[in-house]
Amino acid sequence: MSQNIGAGKISIIIPAINEAGNIKEAIATTQPSINIEVIVVDGGSKDNTVEIVQSLCVKVISSSPGRAVQMNTGAVAATGEILLFLHADTCLPTGFDDMVRTALQQPGTVAGAFNLRIDAPLLSLRWVEWGINVRSHFYQMPYGDQAIFLTKTVFQQIGNFPELPIMEDFELIRRLKRIGRIVIIPTPVVTSARRWLQKGVFKTTLLNQIVIIAYLLGVSPERICRWYRREKFKRI
C-alpha cells in the first residue's frame, strides 16, 4: 500500500435514517482520537437526526436512502486514506484509531472489523455474539455492524459497496477476501440489541441465516429484501 497507513487519516462514515436516539452516542465514541473525520450521511430522516449531528459540529451530507448508497456517498466525500463504516447504533471502543492503523499494516491485510458485543443482558445474545465472533475469525466474514474498515484505495479497487437493497456488506467482504486477508480485532464494538429484541433473538438469527443462504443460492437481493422486510415487521 502506497499510503502511510500508520499515520493515515481515518474517515468514519455513518449512514443514518431516523437515528436521533443513537447518533449522539455513536459519534461520542469517535472521540478522543487522532487524525480522524466523521461524516454522517443522512438518507432522509424525519426526526431530528440532522439537527443533533449539526449541533455536535460534525459534517452531515444527504443522499438517497439505502445503506450502500449512503456509505458510497460518504466515501466520495471522505478525505482520509482509511475508511471506517460505522452503523449509527454502534459504538467504537476506546483506542479504535490505533487498532485500525495497526491492523491495516499487517502483511497481506486488505480490511478489518471488530468483534461484536450486543447491548443487552440476555444469555441468548451471548450465544449470538459467540457465533458471530467465531464466524468472523474463522471465515473472515464480519457483518456490517462490526465496523468494517479498509483503505480508500482498496475500496475503490473492489468497486465500492455494491448498491444492493440488502447484503451489501456481505458482498463487499466476499470481494475483499479474494484479494487479501480480513483482520478481526478482538476488542468489540457495542451495537444496539433493538433488532434482536424487536422480533426475538431466535427468530432474528434464523431470518439472518435464511437471507444468507438465499443470497448464496442466487435469489435476487430485491426479492430477499421484500421478504425480509415483511418478516421483520410482521406481528408475531
Side-chain angles (χ1 to χ4, degrees):
M1 296 177 187
S2 58
Q3 306 107 316
N4 180 11
I5 297 305
K9 180 191 277 189
I10 302 173
S11 295
I12 300 167
I13 297 161
I14 308 176
I17 299 180
N18 298 327
E19 290 286 1
N22 295 297
I23 196 73
K24 187 173 183 178
E25 188 177 6
I27 291 172
T29 63
T30 68
Q31 305 292 336
S33 46
I34 297 169
N35 197 19
I36 68 149
E37 67 175 350
V38 180
I39 301 170
V40 173
V41 188
D42 187 75
S45 294
K46 304 298 184 189
D47 63 7
N48 62 335
T49 297
V50 172
E51 289 77 9
I52 291 169
V53 175
Q54 290 172 334
S55 75
L56 298 170
C57 299
V58 167
K59 183 175 184 177
V60 58
I61 58 179
S62 298
S63 87
S64 303
R67 188 170 275 155
V69 176
Q70 289 170 251
M71 291 189 292
N72 286 340
T73 300
V76 170
T79 61
E81 295 86 5
I82 300 167
L83 306 176
L84 187 155
F85 297 96
L86 180 68
H87 288 188
D89 62 353
T90 301
C91 293
L92 291 165
T94 303
F96 75 89
D97 47 337
D98 287 338
M99 297 178 205
V100 166
R101 292 186 183 99
T102 299
L104 288 176
Q105 290 179 88
Q106 295 181 29
T109 297
V110 293
F114 294 81
N115 265 1
L116 187 72
R117 193 163 83 239
I118 304 167
D119 190 16
L122 298 176
L123 180 60
S124 55
L125 288 175
R126 303 292 77 80
W127 283 104
V128 171
E129 290 170 351
W130 180 83
I132 290 170
N133 292 331
V134 167
R135 169 185 182 268
S136 299
H137 285 272
F138 190 74
Y139 294 107
Q140 297 180 49
M141 289 291 294
Y143 290 121
D145 50 13
Q146 291 172 253
I148 295 167
F149 56 85
L150 70 173
T151 67
K152 194 169 188 178
T153 300
V154 168
F155 185 68
Q156 292 168 339
Q157 178 186 336
I158 62 166
N160 305 355
F161 277 99
E163 294 194 353
L164 306 173
I166 198 168
M167 303 296 286
E168 75 288 331
D169 51 352
F170 185 86
E171 184 57 38
L172 180 90
I173 293 296
R174 288 177 82 194
R175 293 179 185 179
L176 286 166
K177 279 185 69 177
R178 295 184 194 123
I179 64 170
R181 178 168 169 257
I182 298 167
V183 170
I184 307 298
I185 295 173
T187 305
V189 293
V190 180
T191 196
S192 167
R194 60 183 175 175
R195 64 191 175 99
W196 286 278
L197 300 180
Q198 180 186 41
K199 198 70 175 174
V201 174
F202 175 77
K203 190 160 189 178
T204 301
T205 303
L206 181 63
L207 282 175
N208 290 341
Q209 295 312 306
I210 291 171
V211 164
I212 291 170
I213 292 166
Y215 183 77
L216 291 173
L217 289 175
V219 179
S220 77
E222 290 74 19
R223 186 175 176 187
I224 295 171
C225 189
R226 286 195 299 271
W227 174 81
Y228 180 76
R229 285 178 177 158
R230 272 203 309 273
E231 290 297 320
K232 186 177 177 184
F233 297 111
K234 190 166 63 178
R235 287 185 177 276
I236 297 172

